[in-house]
Amino acid sequence: MPQSYEVGNHSSPWNPRTWSRRVWTILITAIVVIVIVVVATVVGVNATRNNNNGPSGPDPNRYPNYTRLDYTLADTYSGTTFFDKFNYFATWDPAGGFVHYVDPEYDARYNLTVATASSAIVKVDTTVGPDSEPDASTGRFSVRLESKAQYGPGLFLFDVKHTPYGCATWPALWLADPNNWPQNGEIDILESVNQATTGTMVALHTTAGCTMENIRREMTGAAGQADCHNATNGNTGCVVNGPPATFGKEFNDAGGGLVALEWRNEGIRTWVFARDKAPLKLDGTTAANPKPDPSTWGPPLADFPSTTCDVAAHFRNQSIIVNIDLCGYLTEAVWGSSGCSPSTCQEFVANNPSAFTDAYWEFGAFHVYRVQ
Ligand SMILES: *[C@@H]1O[C@H](CO)[C@@H](O)[C@H](O)[C@H]1NC(C)=O
Ligand SMILES: *[C@@H]1O[C@H](CO)[C@@H](O)[C@H](O)[C@H]1NC(C)=O
Ligand SMILES: *[C@@H]1O[C@H](CO)[C@@H](O)[C@H](O)[C@H]1NC(C)=O
Ligand SMILES: *[C@@H]1O[C@H](CO)[C@@H](O)[C@H](O)[C@H]1NC(C)=O
């Protein structure tokens, strides 16, 4: 039965035996509050120490350890079977382009992909004009290919012989999980628009919580927007801009070169080497490099360290994607300053098939390595 412990006769206020239930309740509550405050303070101080995004911002010296990893060849795209390892993305363009991404039947009819022993070519149609049937009044034929295989972290080597360029083009070589975007992330390795005179735009696109703000990075490219979140500034992503020689005519005139992506939990880095400066043998088809070691290659073009971006949590399940979009959000945003045509981007695409003769990718082999 509830009862009072108050005896009320011989008691001193300091004798606990004489305290009322109310006094006990107040005392215990006070002790609990003190314990909670002390624990919270200690945990809070430690969290601030361990998390470099605490009130004082990231530790400017924090940097991941990109130590050598032991890579082993896991997959090769080469020769006349190069395209067998891709699916055709043949539906409306989510990037708002003035393009018809073809299926295999239309690819064969318009000859948009060609694989030989030493090269794989991906083209935009250069035959359809205003008097053709069908014409290009609703968009020009092009190709978007997505690798059937989906990859986890690894080293991806691309022998790139020619990058597409020209007014109205928006080509890209990138990785993404199209069915789980942006949850599984996107890594843009080579991307440019129009005449491609300003180099490649390397970029990551993620859900919230992956940024490159105020952190140490070691790279030769120029940092653009730091927040990788797709919802920031209309999916701009976190961007690194390469010099002109990393895309377009200047890159092609040097014979193309080696384009590399190292994706690991410590961070994501990309390199673009002119062919005669490549640290590896590029013979077009075979895996001439059994043990590539990016830790000997010098600073990358783009460095996205894991300092304030949990790479393992933001990137999974990536397909290799090759496409050439036409017009679309990014291209049209800069159309007015591109030195292209007085017409609109879409009129240009519809009426000028011969303007797309440089709008093709030519690849040697792709090699995908994984850590053993
Ligand atoms: C990086 O990791 C490697 C291998 O674990 C280790 O040998 C090296 O000392 C580390 N370097 C730094 C700067 O911590
Ligand atoms: C397709 O393109 C390739 C390379 O440009 C060329 O060699 C071949 O003759 C073309 N085939 C047809 C049917 O147009
Ligand atoms: C960003 O991704 C979310 C899904 O997480 C989507 O709803 C939203 O439309 C995307 N925003 C842009 C600008 O891509
Ligand atoms: C990877 O993609 C495949 C195919 O879209 C899907 O079935 C699978 O659930 C994905 N895995 C993850 C971890 O998202």
Side-chain angles (χ1 to χ4, degrees):
M1 275 197 69
Q3 52 184 286
S4 168
Y5 289 96
E6 191 160 7
V7 194
N9 43 14
H10 59 280
S11 60
S12 137
W14 304 111
N15 180 358
R17 287 167 166 277
T18 67
W19 292 353
S20 71
R21 196 175 178 188
R22 192 161 148 269
V23 170
W24 277 109
T25 307
I26 291 169
L27 185 67
I28 290 167
T29 305
I31 290 170
V32 168
V33 167
I34 288 168
V35 167
I36 288 173
V37 168
V38 168
V39 168
T41 304
V42 170
V43 168
V45 167
N46 282 342
T48 307
R49 272 199 204 114
N50 294 338
N51 171 4
N52 290 322
N53 299 312
S56 56
D59 173 353
N61 292 316
R62 189 170 155 207
Y63 195 66
N65 184 349
Y66 285 114
T67 191
R68 177 184 196 281
L69 296 178
D70 199 7
Y71 286 114
T72 302
L73 185 64
D75 213 349
T76 299
Y77 298 70
S78 73
T80 53
T81 58
F82 187 97
F83 293 112
D84 296 355
K85 298 172 83 103
F86 290 91
N87 292 318
Y88 285 75
F89 175 93
T91 180
W92 66 276
D93 176 24
F98 194 64
V99 72
H100 291 296
Y101 286 130
V102 298
D103 59 16
E105 185 198 328
Y106 269 71
D107 179 8
R109 194 182 305 176
Y110 289 94
N111 197 19
L112 301 183
T113 61
V114 182
T116 68
S118 59
S119 277
I121 295 172
V122 179
K123 298 188 284 191
V124 169
D125 168 66
T126 55
T127 65
V128 172
D131 303 324
S132 309
E133 180 60 49
D135 62 22
S137 61
T138 59
R140 184 164 294 282
F141 295 123
S142 186
V143 184
R144 172 164 154 169
L145 301 167
E146 304 182 345
S147 72
K148 294 174 182 170
Q150 294 192 291
Y151 299 99
L155 177 65
F156 298 75
L157 304 182
F158 306 92
D159 177 349
V160 181
K161 299 178 173 182
H162 187 276
T163 53
Y165 68 96
C167 289
T169 61
W170 178 7
L173 169 63
W174 49 300
L175 272 66
D177 179 357
N179 297 320
N180 299 286
W181 186 94
Q183 290 74 27
N184 285 351
E186 172 184 331
I187 305 171
D188 302 333
I189 305 167
L190 289 180
E191 180 170 13
S192 192
V193 295
N194 295 314
Q195 305 192 75
T197 51
T198 54
T200 184
M201 298 176 284
V202 187
L204 306 183
H205 301 267
T206 66
T207 52
C210 172
T211 91
M212 301 291 139
E213 196 87 52
N214 297 326
I215 54 165
R216 178 173 155 199
R217 303 168 87 177
E218 296 187 357
M219 61 185 185
T220 59
Q225 174 171 298
D227 189 357
C228 311
H229 188 194
N230 80 302
T232 301
N233 286 329
N235 191 30
T236 298
C238 48
V239 178
V240 174
N241 293 292
T246 56
F247 205 106
K249 188 170 189 308
E250 198 173 329
F251 176 81
N252 300 340
D253 285 351
L258 171 67
V259 177
L261 161 69
E262 189 185 37
W263 160 24
R264 53 193 285 179
N265 290 345
E266 290 80 6
I268 290 173
R269 301 187 293 172
T270 72
W271 289 257
V272 176
F273 295 102
R275 190 161 296 276
D276 64 352
K277 305 263 183 0
L280 299 172
K281 287 175 234 142
L282 299 177
D283 73 354
T285 54
T286 60
N289 308 287
K291 291 283 169 201
D293 179 10
S295 72
T296 65
W297 293 353
L301 171 66
D303 180 18
F304 301 94
S306 59
T307 314
T308 49
C309 175
D310 182 348
V311 169
H314 283 284
F315 295 90
R316 278 179 294 269
N317 226 18
Q318 299 278 292
S319 285
I320 298 168
I321 306 180
V322 174
N323 73 300
I324 306 172
D325 206 340
L326 298 170
C327 304
Y329 304 132
L330 198 54
T331 318
E332 290 179 73
V334 294
W335 179 252
S337 60
S338 65
C340 285
S341 160
S343 67
T344 66
C345 189
Q346 299 194 353
E347 287 165 355
F348 185 85
V349 168
N351 298 318
N352 295 288
S354 62
F356 297 94
T357 49
D358 284 314
Y360 69 94
W361 291 105
E362 183 175 356
F363 301 113
F366 295 173
H367 292 111
V368 180
Y369 295 77
R370 277 185 217 149
V371 175
Q372 257 174 336

